[in-house]
Coordinates of all heavy atoms in Angstrom, one line a residue:
M11 N 205.5 -67.6 -171.9 CA 204.9 -68.8 -171.2 C 206.0 -69.4 -170.3 O 207.0 -69.8 -170.7 CB 204.7 -69.9 -172.3 CG 203.6 -69.5 -173.2 SD 202.0 -69.5 -172.3 CE 201.3 -71.0 -172.9
T12 N 205.7 -69.5 -169.0 CA 206.5 -70.0 -167.9 C 206.2 -71.2 -167.4 O 206.8 -71.9 -166.6 CB 206.7 -69.0 -166.8 OG1 205.4 -68.6 -166.3 CG2 207.5 -67.6 -167.3
T13 N 204.9 -71.8 -167.8 CA 204.4 -72.9 -167.3 C 205.1 -74.2 -167.9 O 205.0 -74.2 -169.2 CB 202.9 -73.1 -167.5 OG1 202.3 -71.8 -167.1 CG2 202.3 -74.2 -166.6
P14 N 205.7 -75.1 -167.2 CA 206.2 -76.3 -167.8 C 205.2 -77.1 -168.5 O 204.0 -77.1 -168.0 CB 206.8 -77.1 -166.6 CG 206.8 -76.1 -165.4 CD 205.8 -75.0 -165.7
D15 N 205.6 -77.8 -169.5 CA 204.6 -78.6 -170.4 C 203.9 -79.7 -169.5 O 202.7 -79.8 -169.8 CB 205.4 -79.4 -171.6 CG 205.7 -78.3 -172.6 OD1 205.1 -77.3 -172.6 OD2 206.3 -78.7 -173.5
H16 N 204.5 -80.3 -168.5 CA 203.9 -81.3 -167.9 C 202.7 -80.8 -167.1 O 201.8 -81.5 -166.7 CB 204.9 -82.2 -167.2 CG 205.4 -81.5 -165.9 ND1 206.6 -80.9 -166.0 CD2 205.0 -81.5 -164.6 CE1 206.9 -80.5 -164.8 NE2 206.0 -80.8 -164.0
V17 N 202.9 -79.6 -166.6 CA 201.8 -79.0 -165.8 C 200.7 -78.8 -166.5 O 199.5 -79.1 -166.1 CB 202.3 -77.7 -165.1 CG1 201.2 -77.0 -164.4 CG2 203.5 -77.9 -164.1
T18 N 200.7 -78.1 -167.7 CA 199.6 -78.0 -168.6 C 199.0 -79.3 -169.0 O 197.8 -79.5 -169.2 CB 199.9 -77.2 -169.8 OG1 201.0 -77.7 -170.4 CG2 200.3 -75.8 -169.4
S19 N 199.8 -80.4 -169.1 CA 199.3 -81.7 -169.5 C 198.5 -82.4 -168.4 O 197.5 -82.8 -168.7 CB 200.5 -82.6 -169.8 OG 201.3 -82.2 -170.9
Y20 N 198.9 -82.1 -167.1 CA 198.2 -82.6 -166.0 C 196.9 -81.9 -165.9 O 195.8 -82.6 -165.6 CB 199.0 -82.5 -164.7 CG 199.8 -83.6 -164.5 CD1 201.3 -83.6 -164.6 CD2 199.3 -85.0 -164.2 CE1 202.0 -84.7 -164.3 CE2 200.1 -86.1 -164.0 CZ 201.6 -86.0 -164.1 OH 202.3 -87.0 -163.8
A21 N 196.9 -80.5 -166.1 CA 195.7 -79.8 -166.1 C 194.7 -80.3 -167.2 O 193.5 -80.3 -166.9 CB 196.0 -78.2 -166.3
A22 N 195.2 -80.6 -168.4 CA 194.4 -81.0 -169.4 C 193.7 -82.5 -169.1 O 192.6 -82.6 -169.3 CB 195.2 -81.1 -170.7
A23 N 194.6 -83.3 -168.4 CA 194.1 -84.6 -168.0 C 193.0 -84.5 -167.0 O 192.0 -85.2 -167.1 CB 195.2 -85.5 -167.7
D24 N 193.2 -83.6 -166.1 CA 192.3 -83.3 -165.0 C 190.9 -82.9 -165.6 O 189.9 -83.3 -165.2 CB 192.7 -82.3 -164.1 CG 193.4 -82.9 -162.9 OD1 193.8 -84.2 -162.9 OD2 193.9 -82.2 -162.0
E25 N 191.0 -81.9 -166.6 CA 189.8 -81.4 -167.2 C 189.0 -82.4 -168.0 O 187.8 -82.5 -167.8 CB 190.3 -80.1 -168.0 CG 189.0 -79.5 -168.8 CD 188.0 -79.0 -167.7 OE1 188.5 -78.6 -166.7 OE2 187.0 -78.7 -168.2
L26 N 189.9 -83.3 -168.6 CA 189.2 -84.4 -169.4 C 188.4 -85.4 -168.5 O 187.4 -85.8 -168.7 CB 190.2 -85.1 -170.2 CG 190.5 -84.4 -171.5 CD1 191.7 -85.1 -172.2 CD2 189.4 -84.4 -172.4
Y27 N 189.2 -85.5 -167.3 CA 188.5 -86.5 -166.3 C 187.3 -86.0 -165.8 O 186.3 -86.7 -165.6 CB 189.6 -86.8 -165.3 CG 189.2 -87.8 -164.2 CD1 188.8 -89.0 -164.5 CD2 189.0 -87.4 -162.9 CE1 188.5 -90.1 -163.7 CE2 188.7 -88.3 -161.9 CZ 188.3 -89.6 -162.3 OH 187.9 -90.5 -161.3
R28 N 187.2 -84.7 -165.4 CA 186.0 -84.0 -164.9 C 184.9 -84.0 -166.0 O 183.7 -84.4 -165.5 CB 186.4 -82.6 -164.5 CG 186.8 -82.4 -163.1 CD 186.7 -81.0 -162.7 NE 187.7 -80.2 -163.4 CZ 188.9 -79.9 -163.2 NH1 189.4 -80.4 -162.1 NH2 189.6 -79.1 -163.9
I29 N 185.3 -83.8 -167.2 CA 184.3 -83.9 -168.2 C 183.6 -85.4 -168.3 O 182.5 -85.5 -168.5 CB 184.7 -83.6 -169.6 CG1 185.2 -82.1 -169.6 CG2 183.9 -83.9 -170.8 CD1 186.0 -81.6 -170.8
H30 N 184.6 -86.2 -168.2 CA 184.1 -87.7 -168.3 C 183.2 -88.1 -167.1 O 182.2 -88.6 -167.2 CB 185.3 -88.6 -168.2 CG 185.0 -90.1 -168.3 ND1 185.6 -91.0 -167.6 CD2 184.0 -90.8 -169.0 CE1 185.2 -92.2 -167.8 NE2 184.3 -92.0 -168.7
L31 N 183.6 -87.5 -165.9 CA 182.8 -87.7 -164.7 C 181.4 -87.1 -164.9 O 180.3 -87.7 -164.4 CB 183.4 -87.2 -163.5 CG 184.6 -88.0 -162.9 CD1 184.9 -87.3 -161.6 CD2 184.1 -89.4 -162.5
R32 N 181.3 -85.9 -165.4 CA 180.1 -85.3 -165.6 C 179.2 -86.1 -166.5 O 178.0 -86.2 -166.5 CB 180.4 -83.9 -166.2 CG 179.4 -82.8 -165.7 CD 179.9 -81.5 -166.1 NE 181.1 -81.0 -165.7 CZ 182.1 -80.5 -166.4 NH1 181.7 -80.0 -167.7 NH2 183.3 -80.2 -166.0
H33 N 179.8 -86.6 -167.6 CA 179.1 -87.5 -168.7 C 178.5 -88.6 -167.8 O 177.4 -89.0 -168.1 CB 180.1 -88.0 -169.7 CG 179.4 -88.9 -170.6 ND1 178.7 -88.6 -171.7 CD2 179.5 -90.3 -170.6 CE1 178.3 -89.7 -172.2 NE2 178.8 -90.8 -171.7
L34 N 179.3 -89.4 -167.0 CA 178.8 -90.5 -166.2 C 177.6 -90.1 -165.5 O 176.8 -90.9 -165.1 CB 179.9 -91.1 -165.5 CG 181.0 -91.7 -166.2 CD1 182.1 -92.3 -165.1 CD2 180.6 -92.9 -167.0
D35 N 177.6 -89.0 -165.0 CA 176.5 -88.4 -164.1 C 175.2 -88.3 -164.8 O 174.1 -88.6 -164.3 CB 176.9 -87.0 -163.6 CG 176.8 -86.9 -162.1 OD1 177.1 -87.9 -161.4 OD2 176.5 -85.8 -161.6
Y36 N 175.1 -87.9 -166.0 CA 173.9 -87.7 -166.6 C 173.6 -88.7 -167.8 O 172.5 -88.8 -168.2 CB 173.8 -86.2 -167.2 CG 174.7 -86.0 -168.4 CD1 174.5 -86.5 -169.7 CD2 175.8 -85.1 -168.3 CE1 175.4 -86.1 -170.7 CE2 176.6 -84.7 -169.3 CZ 176.4 -85.3 -170.6 OH 177.2 -85.1 -171.6
C37 N 174.6 -89.5 -168.2 CA 174.4 -90.4 -169.4 C 173.7 -91.7 -168.7 O 174.2 -92.4 -167.9 CB 175.8 -90.8 -169.8 SG 175.4 -92.1 -171.2
L38 N 172.5 -91.9 -169.2 CA 171.7 -93.2 -168.8 C 172.4 -94.5 -169.2 O 172.3 -95.4 -168.5 CB 170.3 -93.1 -169.3 CG 169.5 -92.0 -168.6 CD1 168.1 -91.9 -169.4 CD2 169.3 -92.2 -167.1
V39 N 172.9 -94.4 -170.4 CA 173.6 -95.7 -171.0 C 174.7 -96.2 -170.1 O 174.8 -97.3 -169.7 CB 174.1 -95.4 -172.4 CG1 174.8 -96.7 -173.0 CG2 172.9 -95.0 -173.3
C40 N 175.6 -95.1 -169.7 CA 176.7 -95.5 -168.9 C 176.2 -95.9 -167.5 O 176.9 -96.6 -166.8 CB 177.7 -94.3 -168.7 SG 178.7 -93.9 -170.3
R41 N 175.2 -95.3 -167.0 CA 174.7 -95.5 -165.7 C 174.0 -96.9 -165.5 O 174.3 -97.7 -164.7 CB 173.7 -94.5 -165.2 CG 173.9 -94.2 -163.8 CD 172.7 -93.3 -163.3 NE 172.9 -92.0 -163.7 CZ 172.1 -90.9 -163.5 NH1 170.9 -91.2 -162.8 NH2 172.4 -89.8 -164.0
V42 N 173.2 -97.2 -166.5 CA 172.4 -98.3 -166.5 C 173.3 -99.6 -166.9 O 173.3 -100.7 -166.2 CB 171.2 -98.4 -167.4 CG1 170.5 -99.6 -167.6 CG2 170.3 -97.2 -166.9
S43 N 173.9 -99.6 -168.1 CA 174.6 -100.8 -168.5 C 176.1 -100.5 -168.5 O 176.6 -100.1 -167.5 CB 174.2 -101.2 -170.0 OG 174.4 -100.1 -170.9
A44 N 176.8 -100.8 -169.6 CA 178.3 -100.7 -169.5 C 178.7 -99.2 -169.9 O 178.8 -98.4 -169.1 CB 178.9 -101.6 -170.5
E45 N 178.9 -99.1 -171.2 CA 179.4 -97.7 -171.6 C 178.9 -97.4 -173.0 O 178.7 -98.3 -173.7 CB 180.9 -97.8 -171.7 CG 181.5 -97.7 -170.3 CD 183.0 -98.0 -170.5 OE1 183.4 -98.8 -171.4 OE2 183.8 -97.5 -169.7
C46 N 178.5 -96.2 -173.3 CA 178.2 -95.8 -174.6 C 179.5 -95.4 -175.3 O 180.6 -95.3 -174.8 CB 177.3 -94.6 -174.5 SG 178.1 -93.0 -173.9
G47 N 179.3 -95.1 -176.6 CA 180.5 -94.9 -177.4 C 181.3 -93.7 -177.0 O 182.5 -93.5 -176.9
E48 N 180.4 -92.6 -176.6 CA 181.0 -91.3 -176.1 C 181.8 -91.6 -174.8 O 182.9 -91.0 -174.7 CB 179.9 -90.4 -175.8 CG 180.3 -89.0 -175.9 CD 179.3 -88.0 -175.6 OE1 178.1 -88.4 -175.8 OE2 179.6 -86.8 -175.4
G49 N 181.3 -92.3 -173.9 CA 182.0 -92.7 -172.7 C 183.3 -93.4 -172.9 O 184.3 -93.0 -172.2
V50 N 183.3 -94.3 -173.8 CA 184.5 -95.0 -174.1 C 185.6 -94.1 -174.6 O 186.8 -93.9 -174.3 CB 184.2 -96.2 -175.1 CG1 185.7 -96.7 -175.7 CG2 183.5 -97.2 -174.4
R51 N 185.1 -93.2 -175.6 CA 186.0 -92.2 -176.2 C 186.6 -91.3 -175.2 O 187.9 -90.9 -175.1 CB 185.2 -91.5 -177.3 CG 186.1 -91.2 -178.5 CD 185.3 -90.3 -179.5 NE 184.6 -89.2 -178.9 CZ 183.4 -88.7 -179.2 NH1 182.8 -89.3 -180.1 NH2 183.0 -87.6 -178.5
M52 N 185.8 -90.8 -174.3 CA 186.2 -89.9 -173.2 C 187.2 -90.7 -172.3 O 188.3 -90.0 -171.9 CB 185.1 -89.4 -172.4 CG 184.3 -88.4 -173.0 SD 183.0 -88.0 -171.9 CE 182.1 -86.8 -173.0
R53 N 187.0 -91.9 -171.9 CA 188.0 -92.6 -171.1 C 189.2 -92.7 -171.8 O 190.4 -92.6 -171.1 CB 187.4 -93.9 -170.8 CG 187.8 -94.4 -169.3 CD 187.2 -95.7 -168.9 NE 187.5 -96.7 -170.0 CZ 187.0 -97.9 -170.0 NH1 186.1 -98.2 -169.1 NH2 187.2 -98.8 -171.0
R54 N 189.2 -93.1 -173.0 CA 190.6 -93.1 -173.8 C 191.3 -91.8 -173.9 O 192.6 -91.8 -173.8 CB 190.2 -93.6 -175.3 CG 190.1 -95.1 -175.3 CD 189.9 -95.5 -176.9 NE 189.4 -96.8 -176.9 CZ 188.7 -97.2 -177.9 NH1 188.2 -96.4 -178.8 NH2 188.1 -98.4 -177.9
A55 N 190.5 -90.7 -174.1 CA 191.1 -89.5 -174.0 C 191.8 -89.2 -172.8 O 192.9 -88.6 -172.7 CB 190.0 -88.4 -174.4
V56 N 191.2 -89.5 -171.6 CA 191.7 -89.2 -170.3 C 193.0 -90.0 -170.1 O 194.0 -89.5 -169.7 CB 190.7 -89.6 -169.3 CG1 191.3 -89.6 -167.9 CG2 189.5 -88.7 -169.2
R57 N 192.9 -91.4 -170.6 CA 194.2 -92.2 -170.4 C 195.3 -91.6 -171.2 O 196.4 -91.7 -170.8 CB 193.8 -93.5 -170.8 CG 194.7 -94.6 -170.2 CD 194.2 -96.1 -170.4 NE 194.0 -96.2 -171.7 CZ 193.3 -97.3 -172.2 NH1 192.7 -98.1 -171.4 NH2 193.0 -97.5 -173.5
A58 N 195.0 -91.2 -172.5 CA 196.0 -90.7 -173.4 C 196.5 -89.5 -172.8 O 197.8 -89.3 -172.7 CB 195.5 -90.5 -174.7
A59 N 195.7 -88.5 -172.2 CA 196.2 -87.3 -171.7 C 197.1 -87.6 -170.5 O 198.1 -86.8 -170.3 CB 195.0 -86.4 -171.3
R60 N 196.8 -88.6 -169.7 CA 197.5 -88.9 -168.5 C 198.9 -89.4 -168.9 O 199.9 -89.2 -168.3 CB 196.9 -89.8 -167.6 CG 195.8 -89.2 -166.9 CD 195.2 -90.1 -165.8 NE 194.3 -89.3 -164.9 CZ 193.3 -89.8 -164.3 NH1 193.0 -91.0 -164.4 NH2 192.5 -89.1 -163.6
L61 N 198.9 -90.4 -169.9 CA 200.2 -90.9 -170.4 C 201.0 -89.8 -170.9 O 202.3 -89.7 -170.6 CB 200.0 -91.8 -171.6 CG 199.5 -93.2 -171.1 CD1 199.1 -94.0 -172.4 CD2 200.6 -94.0 -170.2
T62 N 200.6 -88.8 -171.6 CA 201.3 -87.6 -172.1 C 201.8 -86.8 -170.9 O 203.0 -86.5 -170.9 CB 200.4 -86.7 -172.9 OG1 199.9 -87.5 -174.0 CG2 201.1 -85.5 -173.6
A63 N 201.0 -86.5 -169.9 CA 201.4 -85.9 -168.7 C 202.5 -86.6 -167.9 O 203.5 -86.0 -167.5 CB 200.2 -85.7 -167.8
D64 N 202.5 -87.9 -167.9 CA 203.5 -88.7 -167.1 C 204.8 -88.7 -167.9 O 205.9 -88.7 -167.3 CB 203.0 -90.2 -167.1 CG 202.0 -90.3 -166.1 OD1 201.9 -89.5 -165.2 OD2 201.3 -91.3 -166.0
K65 N 204.7 -88.5 -169.2 CA 205.9 -88.5 -170.0 C 206.7 -87.2 -169.7 O 208.0 -87.2 -169.8 CB 205.8 -88.6 -171.5 CG 205.6 -90.1 -171.9 CD 205.4 -90.1 -173.4 CE 204.6 -91.4 -173.7 NZ 203.9 -91.4 -175.0
G66 N 206.0 -86.2 -169.5 CA 206.6 -84.9 -169.2 C 207.2 -84.7 -167.8 O 207.9 -83.8 -167.4
Q67 N 206.8 -85.7 -166.9 CA 207.1 -85.7 -165.5 C 208.6 -86.2 -165.4 O 208.8 -87.4 -165.7 CB 206.1 -86.4 -164.7 CG 206.3 -86.3 -163.2 CD 205.8 -85.0 -162.7 OE1 206.4 -84.0 -162.8 NE2 204.7 -85.1 -162.0
P68 N 209.4 -85.4 -164.8 CA 210.8 -86.1 -164.5 C 210.7 -87.1 -163.5 O 210.1 -87.0 -162.4 CB 211.6 -84.8 -164.0 CG 210.7 -83.8 -163.6 CD 209.4 -84.1 -164.4
R69 N 211.4 -88.3 -163.7 CA 211.3 -89.4 -162.7 C 212.5 -89.2 -161.7 O 213.6 -89.0 -162.2 CB 211.4 -90.6 -163.5 CG 210.2 -91.0 -164.2 CD 210.3 -92.3 -165.0 NE 209.1 -92.5 -165.8 CZ 208.0 -93.1 -165.3 NH1 207.9 -93.3 -164.0 NH2 207.1 -93.3 -166.1
P70 N 212.3 -89.5 -160.4 CA 213.3 -89.5 -159.5 C 214.3 -90.8 -159.7 O 213.6 -91.9 -160.1 CB 212.6 -89.5 -158.1 CG 211.2 -90.2 -158.5 CD 210.9 -89.7 -159.9
T71 N 215.4 -90.7 -159.6 CA 216.3 -91.8 -159.9 C 216.8 -92.5 -158.6 O 216.9 -91.8 -157.6 CB 217.6 -91.6 -160.8 OG1 218.0 -90.2 -160.2 CG2 217.0 -91.3 -162.1
Ligands
ZN9 ZN1 177.8 -92.6 -171.8

């Protein structure tokens, strides 16, 4: 394994985000009103994955 952890983390966050977008596309509840439980769960997962990815990213000083 030569891929740094933060790279795979960003890829995972991206994938989750795409899944979320796809859900928004076909989910009538998310489209018509606010959000369904699944949509909220997905958004949380995306945010958590991005936080994890950011932690792996070295910060410029
Ligand atoms: Zn939904």
Side-chain angles (χ1 to χ4, degrees):
M11 293 296 258
T12 52
T13 314
D15 277 353
H16 72 267
V17 172
T18 51
S19 295
Y20 273 114
D24 267 7
E25 180 61 24
L26 281 171
Y27 183 62
R28 272 196 296 271
I29 291 169
H30 183 216
L31 283 184
R32 218 174 301 142
H33 171 83
L34 292 179
D35 230 30
Y36 68 73
C37 179
L38 288 177
V39 181
C40 286
R41 209 187 293 180
V42 171
S43 59
E45 285 164 328
C46 70
E48 203 181 345
V50 170
R51 215 181 52 214
M52 284 181 181
R53 211 181 50 192
R54 278 190 196 142
V56 171
R57 202 172 48 195
R60 284 192 173 151
L61 280 175
T62 304
D64 283 342
K65 274 181 207 157
Q67 186 79 287
R69 291 177 183 278
T71 45

